Amino acid sequence: METISQNKAFGGNQGVYRHKSTATNCDMTFGLFLPEEAKDGPVPILWFLSGLTCTHENAMTKAGAQAWCAEQGIAIVFPDTSPRGEGVADDAAYDLGQGAGFYVNATQEPWAAHYQMWDYIAEELPALLAENFAIDLDRQAITGHSMGGHGALTLAMSLPGRFKSVSAFAPICNPTGADWGRKQLTAYLGEDEATWAKHDASLMMRDTGFDGPVLIDTGTTDQFIDLLRPEALAAALAEKRQEATLRLQPGYDHSYFFVSSFMEDHVTFHAEALYRD
C-alpha cells in the first residue's frame, strides 16, 4: 500500500492511500481520517460512499465530516466510486463506467473484469483497513450521498450485523423504477430484473429491513428528486415499520452544500449507535 499524502487535521490524520485491488483488478485510491484516539487503539469507523462522477476526494474535501468525526472519536473512510485506469472499461456518459460503479459486482461485458465494487467495499477494503490501521471492525456504520446513499442502504441491509447504523444524503432510493438505475443495472447485471432486487433500497426495505436505526435526508429542491424517488423508500419504511427518520429539507439541493449542512447530524446519529453497547 502506497501513502499518497498525510495531513494533520482536527488533532488527527487525514491520509490518502493507493493499493492494488484484487477485487477490481486495478489500483484503487481511498481517503481515511483517523481521529487522535487512534493513537491509543482501534476506533469505530464510518464509511462514506460518494455519488456519480466523484472520486475519493470530493467528500473528503467538501463534506466537512472530519471535524465532527474528530469530536466523536470516529474514523471515516472515503473510497473511490469505481475502478479506474488504463484498460478499465468506460462510457462517454457520466452515469455509467468510471465514476459510476453503483456498488455492484458486474456480471456483463465489458464491465465484469473490473467493476466488482460490492466485493471491494464489503470485503477487500475493510480487511485492508483493519490490517494497516487502528480500526475496530466490530463498530462500523455507513452513509453515502446519491449513488453512494444507494450503496450504503443496500450494503447495510444485505450484511446484517455488519453496521450499527445507516444513513444517506439524497440517496437513489428505487433504481429499478427510475432512469438512474435501470440503465446501469441493465449494463452491469444484465436484463434479468430478478438480479437487480438486492440493489434497490426500497425493495430491500420491504423484504428485509435493517437491524438498526436509519436516517435519510433529501432536499425539497433537489434537481434530481424525480430520479431519487424518496417517496418509494418512505412507503417501504412505513410498510416495514422500520426504525427510521426520513427528512425532506426545505430549499436544499443535491450539492455538497446540502451534505455539509447536515453532516453533524449524521455523524452524531452514527456515534450514538457506535457507542451504544
Side-chain angles (χ1 to χ4, degrees):
M1 188 176 63
E2 178 187 0
T3 300
I4 305 299
S5 64
Q6 289 187 329
N7 298 95
K8 187 167 184 177
F10 303 102
N13 178 70
Q14 175 62 64
V16 176
Y17 308 92
R18 182 183 296 125
H19 70 106
K20 176 68 176 178
S21 168
T22 56
T24 64
N25 193 29
C26 66
D27 287 343
M28 296 292 291
T29 303
F30 65 92
L32 175 67
F33 172 76
L34 291 171
E36 190 172 13
E37 289 84 347
K39 297 175 183 176
D40 300 321
V43 295
I45 185 165
L46 175 62
W47 293 76
F48 189 101
L49 305 186
S50 292
L52 287 169
T53 75
C54 291
T55 69
H56 70 281
E57 189 174 21
N58 297 72
M60 187 181 78
T61 59
K62 295 180 179 180
Q66 292 90 337
W68 307 118
C69 287
E71 186 174 283
Q72 300 289 351
I74 295 170
I76 183 166
V77 60
F78 306 96
D80 203 346
T81 56
S82 76
R84 298 180 191 273
E86 187 177 352
V88 175
D90 199 7
D91 189 89
Y94 75 95
D95 58 354
L96 186 67
Q98 294 186 34
F102 266 76
Y103 304 101
V104 304
N105 283 341
T107 59
Q108 306 299 301
E109 298 301 331
W111 314 106
H114 297 283
Y115 284 75
Q116 305 296 309
M117 287 300 294
W118 182 279
D119 282 352
Y120 178 68
I121 298 296
E123 304 299 336
E124 184 176 9
L125 189 52
L128 183 74
L129 294 176
E131 181 180 350
N132 291 279
F133 303 98
I135 298 298
D136 182 0
L137 291 187
D138 290 330
R139 292 184 292 167
Q140 297 186 68
I142 191 166
T143 188
H145 174 223
S146 193
M147 178 185 72
H150 138 80
L153 291 165
T154 56
L155 280 155
M157 286 186 278
S158 295
L159 301 169
R162 172 76 64 91
F163 301 103
K164 302 290 187 182
S165 51
V166 59
S167 74
F169 300 86
I172 299 173
C173 298
N174 183 212
T176 65
D179 290 342
W180 263 7
R182 295 190 64 84
K183 170 186 175 179
Q184 295 83 2
L185 294 175
T186 300
Y188 294 140
L189 302 178
E191 299 283 350
D192 182 4
E193 295 190 19
T195 66
W196 301 0
K198 75 171 186 176
H199 299 292
D200 186 303
S202 296
L203 298 181
M204 290 195 67
M205 184 58 69
R206 284 195 175 88
D207 184 38
T208 64
F210 177 65
D211 53 348
V214 178
L215 172 63
I216 309 290
D217 276 314
T218 302
T220 60
T221 58
D222 190 307
Q223 57 270 47
F224 305 112
I225 199 165
D226 290 338
L227 295 170
L228 303 177
R229 292 179 53 80
E231 66 278 3
L233 183 58
L237 288 165
E239 185 175 324
K240 192 65 175 177
R241 298 178 179 175
Q242 170 73 41
E243 176 188 1
T245 300
L246 192 155
R247 307 186 299 193
L248 295 176
Q249 300 291 0
Y252 284 90
D253 59 16
H254 200 71
S255 70
Y256 271 100
F257 295 109
F258 156 68
V259 174
S260 61
S261 295
F262 298 99
M263 181 57 70
E264 180 184 6
D265 289 358
H266 283 245
V267 172
T268 301
F269 164 80
H270 290 297
E272 290 173 354
L274 289 166
Y275 287 114
R276 184 173 296 162
D277 295 336

